[in-house]
mmCIF file of all heavy atoms in Angstrom:
data_model
loop_
_atom_site.group_PDB
_atom_site.id
_atom_site.type_symbol
_atom_site.label_atom_id
_atom_site.label_comp_id
_atom_site.label_asym_id
_atom_site.label_seq_id
_atom_site.Cartn_x
_atom_site.Cartn_y
_atom_site.Cartn_z
ATOM 1 N N GLU A 138 6.305 -5.037 13.727
ATOM 2 C CA GLU A 138 6.227 -4.300 14.999
ATOM 3 C C GLU A 138 6.667 -2.873 14.695
ATOM 4 O O GLU A 138 7.809 -2.654 14.269
ATOM 5 C CB GLU A 138 7.200 -4.944 15.971
ATOM 6 C CG GLU A 138 7.329 -4.199 17.250
ATOM 7 C CD GLU A 138 6.910 -5.075 18.393
ATOM 8 O OE1 GLU A 138 7.593 -6.060 18.670
ATOM 9 O OE2 GLU A 138 5.875 -4.755 18.976
ATOM 10 N N PRO A 139 5.793 -1.861 14.896
ATOM 11 C CA PRO A 139 6.160 -0.509 14.472
ATOM 12 C C PRO A 139 7.478 -0.033 15.085
ATOM 13 O O PRO A 139 8.288 0.590 14.407
ATOM 14 C CB PRO A 139 4.997 0.365 14.946
ATOM 15 C CG PRO A 139 3.876 -0.556 15.248
ATOM 16 C CD PRO A 139 4.455 -1.911 15.503
ATOM 17 N N GLY A 140 7.707 -0.333 16.357
ATOM 18 C CA GLY A 140 8.898 0.194 17.032
ATOM 19 C C GLY A 140 10.209 -0.417 16.562
ATOM 20 O O GLY A 140 11.237 0.237 16.594
ATOM 21 N N THR A 141 10.190 -1.671 16.108
ATOM 22 C CA THR A 141 11.456 -2.330 15.758
ATOM 23 C C THR A 141 11.590 -2.591 14.260
ATOM 24 O O THR A 141 12.675 -2.912 13.789
ATOM 25 C CB THR A 141 11.552 -3.703 16.453
ATOM 26 O OG1 THR A 141 10.431 -4.491 15.997
ATOM 27 C CG2 THR A 141 11.512 -3.578 17.957
ATOM 28 N N ARG A 142 10.505 -2.475 13.513
ATOM 29 C CA ARG A 142 10.444 -2.793 12.083
ATOM 30 C C ARG A 142 10.779 -4.264 11.836
ATOM 31 O O ARG A 142 11.202 -4.638 10.754
ATOM 32 C CB ARG A 142 11.371 -1.900 11.221
ATOM 33 C CG ARG A 142 11.312 -0.419 11.475
ATOM 34 C CD ARG A 142 9.969 0.215 11.270
ATOM 35 N NE ARG A 142 9.446 0.119 9.922
ATOM 36 C CZ ARG A 142 8.124 0.140 9.632
ATOM 37 N NH1 ARG A 142 7.236 0.229 10.585
ATOM 38 N NH2 ARG A 142 7.725 0.076 8.390
ATOM 39 N N ARG A 143 10.616 -5.100 12.856
ATOM 40 C CA ARG A 143 10.807 -6.544 12.700
ATOM 41 C C ARG A 143 9.456 -7.231 12.807
ATOM 42 O O ARG A 143 8.467 -6.624 13.202
ATOM 43 C CB ARG A 143 11.740 -7.079 13.793
ATOM 44 C CG ARG A 143 13.193 -6.641 13.605
ATOM 45 C CD ARG A 143 14.028 -7.115 14.773
ATOM 46 N NE ARG A 143 14.010 -8.569 14.929
ATOM 47 C CZ ARG A 143 14.798 -9.420 14.301
ATOM 48 N NH1 ARG A 143 15.715 -8.966 13.474
ATOM 49 N NH2 ARG A 143 14.706 -10.719 14.511
ATOM 50 N N LEU A 144 9.452 -8.511 12.471
ATOM 51 C CA LEU A 144 8.221 -9.273 12.571
ATOM 52 C C LEU A 144 7.765 -9.302 14.021
ATOM 53 O O LEU A 144 8.560 -9.583 14.925
ATOM 54 C CB LEU A 144 8.542 -10.694 12.095
ATOM 55 C CG LEU A 144 7.413 -11.569 11.596
ATOM 56 C CD1 LEU A 144 6.695 -10.917 10.422
ATOM 57 C CD2 LEU A 144 7.976 -12.926 11.161
ATOM 58 N N ARG A 145 6.490 -8.997 14.240
ATOM 59 C CA ARG A 145 5.972 -9.146 15.607
ATOM 60 C C ARG A 145 5.406 -10.562 15.697
ATOM 61 O O ARG A 145 4.333 -10.861 15.148
ATOM 62 C CB ARG A 145 4.876 -8.120 15.880
ATOM 63 C CG ARG A 145 4.203 -8.406 17.210
ATOM 64 C CD ARG A 145 3.045 -7.504 17.449
ATOM 65 N NE ARG A 145 3.484 -6.356 18.221
ATOM 66 C CZ ARG A 145 2.746 -5.790 19.166
ATOM 67 N NH1 ARG A 145 1.549 -6.248 19.443
ATOM 68 N NH2 ARG A 145 3.193 -4.768 19.826
ATOM 69 N N VAL A 146 6.125 -11.412 16.369
ATOM 70 C CA VAL A 146 5.742 -12.825 16.389
ATOM 71 C C VAL A 146 4.501 -13.001 17.264
ATOM 72 O O VAL A 146 4.480 -12.593 18.412
ATOM 73 C CB VAL A 146 6.913 -13.683 16.897
ATOM 74 C CG1 VAL A 146 6.500 -15.142 16.966
ATOM 75 C CG2 VAL A 146 8.124 -13.495 15.983
ATOM 76 N N ASP A 147 3.470 -13.577 16.664
ATOM 77 C CA ASP A 147 2.232 -13.801 17.412
ATOM 78 C C ASP A 147 1.766 -15.240 17.170
ATOM 79 O O ASP A 147 2.427 -16.009 16.467
ATOM 80 C CB ASP A 147 1.161 -12.782 17.001
ATOM 81 C CG ASP A 147 0.885 -12.811 15.499
ATOM 82 O OD1 ASP A 147 1.278 -13.803 14.841
ATOM 83 O OD2 ASP A 147 0.289 -11.866 14.976
ATOM 84 N N ASP A 148 0.624 -15.588 17.742
ATOM 85 C CA ASP A 148 0.154 -16.973 17.641
ATOM 86 C C ASP A 148 -0.124 -17.390 16.203
ATOM 87 O O ASP A 148 0.099 -18.536 15.818
ATOM 88 C CB ASP A 148 -1.131 -17.157 18.471
ATOM 89 C CG ASP A 148 -0.819 -17.077 19.954
ATOM 90 O OD1 ASP A 148 0.389 -17.123 20.307
ATOM 91 O OD2 ASP A 148 -1.766 -16.943 20.756
ATOM 92 N N GLU A 149 -0.600 -16.443 15.411
ATOM 93 C CA GLU A 149 -0.900 -16.764 14.005
ATOM 94 C C GLU A 149 0.380 -17.173 13.272
ATOM 95 O O GLU A 149 0.402 -18.151 12.534
ATOM 96 C CB GLU A 149 -1.477 -15.519 13.310
ATOM 97 C CG GLU A 149 -2.871 -15.165 13.734
ATOM 98 C CD GLU A 149 -3.883 -16.095 13.094
ATOM 99 O OE1 GLU A 149 -4.060 -16.020 11.877
ATOM 100 O OE2 GLU A 149 -4.461 -16.925 13.823
ATOM 101 N N LEU A 150 1.432 -16.402 13.471
ATOM 102 C CA LEU A 150 2.698 -16.711 12.796
ATOM 103 C C LEU A 150 3.260 -18.025 13.311
ATOM 104 O O LEU A 150 3.748 -18.867 12.545
ATOM 105 C CB LEU A 150 3.711 -15.575 13.010
ATOM 106 C CG LEU A 150 3.412 -14.292 12.231
ATOM 107 C CD1 LEU A 150 4.255 -13.133 12.758
ATOM 108 C CD2 LEU A 150 3.665 -14.470 10.738
ATOM 109 N N ARG A 151 3.160 -18.218 14.643
ATOM 110 C CA ARG A 151 3.669 -19.466 15.225
ATOM 111 C C ARG A 151 2.914 -20.659 14.665
ATOM 112 O O ARG A 151 3.503 -21.685 14.332
ATOM 113 C CB ARG A 151 3.558 -19.437 16.742
ATOM 114 C CG ARG A 151 4.731 -18.738 17.370
ATOM 115 C CD ARG A 151 4.818 -18.963 18.877
ATOM 116 N NE ARG A 151 5.379 -17.769 19.457
ATOM 117 C CZ ARG A 151 4.687 -16.782 19.988
ATOM 118 N NH1 ARG A 151 3.367 -16.860 20.084
ATOM 119 N NH2 ARG A 151 5.293 -15.715 20.454
ATOM 120 N N ALA A 152 1.603 -20.497 14.527
ATOM 121 C CA ALA A 152 0.803 -21.613 14.007
ATOM 122 C C ALA A 152 1.171 -21.903 12.549
ATOM 123 O O ALA A 152 1.275 -23.063 12.137
ATOM 124 C CB ALA A 152 -0.686 -21.286 14.127
ATOM 125 N N ASP A 153 1.406 -20.864 11.775
ATOM 126 C CA ASP A 153 1.830 -21.085 10.384
ATOM 127 C C ASP A 153 3.178 -21.800 10.345
ATOM 128 O O ASP A 153 3.393 -22.721 9.565
ATOM 129 C CB ASP A 153 1.944 -19.747 9.631
ATOM 130 C CG ASP A 153 0.600 -19.281 9.081
ATOM 131 O OD1 ASP A 153 -0.424 -19.914 9.417
ATOM 132 O OD2 ASP A 153 0.577 -18.290 8.323
ATOM 133 N N ALA A 154 4.084 -21.352 11.225
ATOM 134 C CA ALA A 154 5.420 -21.967 11.225
ATOM 135 C C ALA A 154 5.346 -23.418 11.676
ATOM 136 O O ALA A 154 6.140 -24.260 11.237
ATOM 137 C CB ALA A 154 6.355 -21.171 12.142
ATOM 138 N N ALA A 155 4.370 -23.726 12.527
ATOM 139 C CA ALA A 155 4.257 -25.103 13.025
ATOM 140 C C ALA A 155 3.645 -26.033 11.978
ATOM 141 O O ALA A 155 3.566 -27.240 12.192
ATOM 142 C CB ALA A 155 3.423 -25.117 14.302
ATOM 143 N N GLY A 156 3.192 -25.465 10.873
ATOM 144 C CA GLY A 156 2.806 -26.347 9.775
ATOM 145 C C GLY A 156 1.335 -26.383 9.408
ATOM 146 O O GLY A 156 0.941 -27.159 8.548
ATOM 147 N N ARG A 157 0.493 -25.519 9.987
ATOM 148 C CA ARG A 157 -0.905 -25.546 9.547
ATOM 149 C C ARG A 157 -0.971 -24.920 8.139
ATOM 150 O O ARG A 157 -0.004 -24.337 7.661
ATOM 151 C CB ARG A 157 -1.799 -24.766 10.520
ATOM 152 C CG ARG A 157 -1.598 -23.287 10.393
ATOM 153 C CD ARG A 157 -2.716 -22.446 10.960
ATOM 154 N NE ARG A 157 -2.352 -21.045 10.773
ATOM 155 C CZ ARG A 157 -2.845 -20.050 11.464
ATOM 156 N NH1 ARG A 157 -3.728 -20.261 12.400
ATOM 157 N NH2 ARG A 157 -2.462 -18.814 11.207
ATOM 158 N N VAL A 158 -2.110 -25.033 7.509
ATOM 159 C CA VAL A 158 -2.306 -24.377 6.212
ATOM 160 C C VAL A 158 -2.095 -22.879 6.429
ATOM 161 O O VAL A 158 -2.732 -22.289 7.309
ATOM 162 C CB VAL A 158 -3.739 -24.668 5.716
ATOM 163 C CG1 VAL A 158 -4.054 -23.802 4.515
ATOM 164 C CG2 VAL A 158 -3.884 -26.138 5.391
ATOM 165 N N PRO A 159 -1.186 -22.256 5.678
ATOM 166 C CA PRO A 159 -0.819 -20.875 6.025
ATOM 167 C C PRO A 159 -1.965 -19.884 5.904
ATOM 168 O O PRO A 159 -2.756 -19.930 4.967
ATOM 169 C CB PRO A 159 0.277 -20.530 5.015
ATOM 170 C CG PRO A 159 0.200 -21.544 3.958
ATOM 171 C CD PRO A 159 -0.430 -22.759 4.541
ATOM 172 N N ARG A 160 -2.009 -18.991 6.888
ATOM 173 C CA ARG A 160 -3.017 -17.925 6.849
ATOM 174 C C ARG A 160 -2.361 -16.564 6.775
ATOM 175 O O ARG A 160 -2.998 -15.601 6.421
ATOM 176 C CB ARG A 160 -3.888 -17.975 8.110
ATOM 177 C CG ARG A 160 -4.872 -19.092 8.056
ATOM 178 C CD ARG A 160 -5.902 -18.926 9.172
ATOM 179 N NE ARG A 160 -6.340 -20.227 9.586
ATOM 180 C CZ ARG A 160 -6.710 -20.536 10.806
ATOM 181 N NH1 ARG A 160 -6.684 -19.631 11.758
ATOM 182 N NH2 ARG A 160 -7.101 -21.753 11.100
ATOM 183 N N THR A 161 -1.102 -16.468 7.199
ATOM 184 C CA THR A 161 -0.434 -15.167 7.138
ATOM 185 C C THR A 161 0.352 -15.074 5.823
ATOM 186 O O THR A 161 0.697 -16.101 5.222
ATOM 187 C CB THR A 161 0.545 -14.993 8.311
ATOM 188 O OG1 THR A 161 1.609 -15.944 8.148
ATOM 189 C CG2 THR A 161 -0.131 -15.220 9.664
ATOM 190 N N VAL A 162 0.635 -13.845 5.430
ATOM 191 C CA VAL A 162 1.365 -13.645 4.179
ATOM 192 C C VAL A 162 2.764 -14.262 4.273
ATOM 193 O O VAL A 162 3.220 -14.957 3.365
ATOM 194 C CB VAL A 162 1.438 -12.132 3.856
ATOM 195 C CG1 VAL A 162 2.309 -11.889 2.643
ATOM 196 C CG2 VAL A 162 0.041 -11.581 3.644
ATOM 197 N N LEU A 163 3.439 -14.013 5.408
ATOM 198 C CA LEU A 163 4.788 -14.566 5.562
ATOM 199 C C LEU A 163 4.756 -16.085 5.551
ATOM 200 O O LEU A 163 5.604 -16.743 4.932
ATOM 201 C CB LEU A 163 5.424 -14.049 6.861
ATOM 202 C CG LEU A 163 6.273 -12.776 6.777
ATOM 203 C CD1 LEU A 163 7.356 -12.895 5.735
ATOM 204 C CD2 LEU A 163 5.452 -11.548 6.500
ATOM 205 N N GLY A 164 3.766 -16.653 6.235
ATOM 206 C CA GLY A 164 3.628 -18.110 6.262
ATOM 207 C C GLY A 164 3.427 -18.660 4.854
ATOM 208 O O GLY A 164 4.052 -19.650 4.452
ATOM 209 N N LEU A 165 2.598 -17.980 4.093
ATOM 210 C CA LEU A 165 2.335 -18.432 2.721
ATOM 211 C C LEU A 165 3.602 -18.358 1.868
ATOM 212 O O LEU A 165 3.933 -19.299 1.130
ATOM 213 C CB LEU A 165 1.230 -17.557 2.107
ATOM 214 C CG LEU A 165 1.000 -17.745 0.610
ATOM 215 C CD1 LEU A 165 0.539 -19.167 0.308
ATOM 216 C CD2 LEU A 165 -0.021 -16.738 0.078
ATOM 217 N N LEU A 166 4.325 -17.256 1.975
ATOM 218 C CA LEU A 166 5.519 -17.100 1.151
ATOM 219 C C LEU A 166 6.535 -18.200 1.458
ATOM 220 O O LEU A 166 7.096 -18.831 0.553
ATOM 221 C CB LEU A 166 6.161 -15.724 1.381
ATOM 222 C CG LEU A 166 5.354 -14.515 0.898
ATOM 223 C CD1 LEU A 166 6.056 -13.213 1.274
ATOM 224 C CD2 LEU A 166 5.139 -14.575 -0.617
ATOM 225 N N VAL A 167 6.751 -18.435 2.743
ATOM 226 C CA VAL A 167 7.790 -19.417 3.101
ATOM 227 C C VAL A 167 7.339 -20.833 2.726
ATOM 228 O O VAL A 167 8.123 -21.613 2.183
ATOM 229 C CB VAL A 167 8.181 -19.274 4.586
ATOM 230 C CG1 VAL A 167 9.092 -20.413 5.023
ATOM 231 C CG2 VAL A 167 8.868 -17.924 4.809
ATOM 232 N N ARG A 168 6.078 -21.169 2.979
ATOM 233 C CA ARG A 168 5.577 -22.491 2.544
ATOM 234 C C ARG A 168 5.728 -22.644 1.030
ATOM 235 O O ARG A 168 6.112 -23.686 0.520
ATOM 236 C CB ARG A 168 4.105 -22.616 2.844
ATOM 237 C CG ARG A 168 3.591 -23.348 4.030
ATOM 238 C CD ARG A 168 4.232 -24.606 4.459
ATOM 239 N NE ARG A 168 4.194 -24.534 5.911
ATOM 240 C CZ ARG A 168 5.129 -24.929 6.731
ATOM 241 N NH1 ARG A 168 6.201 -25.534 6.287
ATOM 242 N NH2 ARG A 168 5.000 -24.774 8.012
ATOM 243 N N GLY A 169 5.406 -21.562 0.324
ATOM 244 C CA GLY A 169 5.506 -21.586 -1.143
ATOM 245 C C GLY A 169 6.948 -21.811 -1.585
ATOM 246 O O GLY A 169 7.219 -22.587 -2.501
ATOM 247 N N LEU A 170 7.874 -21.147 -0.896
ATOM 248 C CA LEU A 170 9.292 -21.325 -1.262
ATOM 249 C C LEU A 170 9.744 -22.750 -0.973
ATOM 250 O O LEU A 170 10.499 -23.355 -1.745
ATOM 251 C CB LEU A 170 10.171 -20.334 -0.489
ATOM 252 C CG LEU A 170 10.046 -18.859 -0.862
ATOM 253 C CD1 LEU A 170 10.979 -18.018 0.010
ATOM 254 C CD2 LEU A 170 10.352 -18.610 -2.335
ATOM 255 N N GLN A 171 9.271 -23.311 0.153
ATOM 256 C CA GLN A 171 9.656 -24.695 0.484
ATOM 257 C C GLN A 171 9.180 -25.640 -0.622
ATOM 258 O O GLN A 171 9.903 -26.514 -1.070
ATOM 259 C CB GLN A 171 9.029 -25.118 1.820
ATOM 260 C CG GLN A 171 9.703 -24.474 3.016
ATOM 261 C CD GLN A 171 9.030 -24.860 4.330
ATOM 262 O OE1 GLN A 171 7.801 -24.766 4.453
ATOM 263 N NE2 GLN A 171 9.820 -25.308 5.298
ATOM 264 N N ARG A 172 7.946 -25.403 -1.049
ATOM 265 C CA ARG A 172 7.402 -26.281 -2.091
ATOM 266 C C ARG A 172 8.154 -26.085 -3.404
ATOM 267 O O ARG A 172 8.416 -27.017 -4.145
ATOM 268 C CB ARG A 172 5.914 -26.010 -2.275
ATOM 269 C CG ARG A 172 5.276 -27.032 -3.176
ATOM 270 C CD ARG A 172 3.787 -26.987 -3.126
ATOM 271 N NE ARG A 172 3.239 -27.414 -1.850
ATOM 272 C CZ ARG A 172 1.957 -27.714 -1.662
ATOM 273 N NH1 ARG A 172 1.115 -27.633 -2.677
ATOM 274 N NH2 ARG A 172 1.508 -28.084 -0.490
ATOM 275 N N ARG A 173 8.508 -24.858 -3.671
ATOM 276 C CA ARG A 173 9.228 -24.557 -4.911
ATOM 277 C C ARG A 173 10.601 -25.235 -4.899
ATOM 278 O O ARG A 173 11.046 -25.795 -5.889
ATOM 279 C CB ARG A 173 9.384 -23.039 -5.038
ATOM 280 C CG ARG A 173 9.874 -22.601 -6.382
ATOM 281 C CD ARG A 173 9.799 -21.111 -6.604
ATOM 282 N NE ARG A 173 10.333 -20.824 -7.920
ATOM 283 C CZ ARG A 173 9.609 -20.710 -9.015
ATOM 284 N NH1 ARG A 173 8.301 -20.784 -8.965
ATOM 285 N NH2 ARG A 173 10.190 -20.481 -10.186
ATOM 286 N N GLN A 174 11.228 -25.163 -3.764
ATOM 287 C CA GLN A 174 12.541 -25.794 -3.653
ATOM 288 C C GLN A 174 12.402 -27.303 -3.849
ATOM 289 O O GLN A 174 13.170 -27.914 -4.589
ATOM 290 C CB GLN A 174 13.121 -25.494 -2.278
ATOM 291 C CG GLN A 174 14.506 -26.053 -2.089
ATOM 292 C CD GLN A 174 15.047 -25.674 -0.726
ATOM 293 O OE1 GLN A 174 14.274 -25.510 0.226
ATOM 294 N NE2 GLN A 174 16.345 -25.512 -0.639
ATOM 295 N N ALA A 175 11.384 -27.894 -3.206
ATOM 296 C CA ALA A 175 11.189 -29.343 -3.329
ATOM 297 C C ALA A 175 10.900 -29.723 -4.778
ATOM 298 O O ALA A 175 11.309 -30.787 -5.247
ATOM 299 C CB ALA A 175 10.036 -29.779 -2.427
ATOM 300 N N ALA A 176 10.233 -28.832 -5.502
ATOM 301 C CA ALA A 176 9.869 -29.135 -6.894
ATOM 302 C C ALA A 176 11.032 -28.856 -7.849
ATOM 303 O O ALA A 176 10.941 -29.139 -9.040
ATOM 304 C CB ALA A 176 8.659 -28.292 -7.298
ATOM 305 N N GLY A 177 12.104 -28.270 -7.335
ATOM 306 C CA GLY A 177 13.258 -27.948 -8.187
ATOM 307 C C GLY A 177 12.896 -26.907 -9.252
ATOM 308 O O GLY A 177 13.442 -26.927 -10.361
#
Side-chain angles (χ1 to χ4, degrees):
E138 174 119 67
T141 60
R142 312 300 298 154
R143 289 176 59 85
L144 202 58
R145 172 185 266 218
V146 178
D147 56 16
D148 290 348
E149 288 284 291
L150 288 166
R151 276 193 213 96
D153 276 8
R157 73 161 179 201
V158 170
R160 284 192 211 148
T161 66
V162 174
L163 268 306
L165 170 63
L166 293 176
V167 171
R168 260 321 142 219
L170 290 180
Q171 286 178 311
R172 189 167 292 194
R173 191 170 179 94
Q174 183 178 30

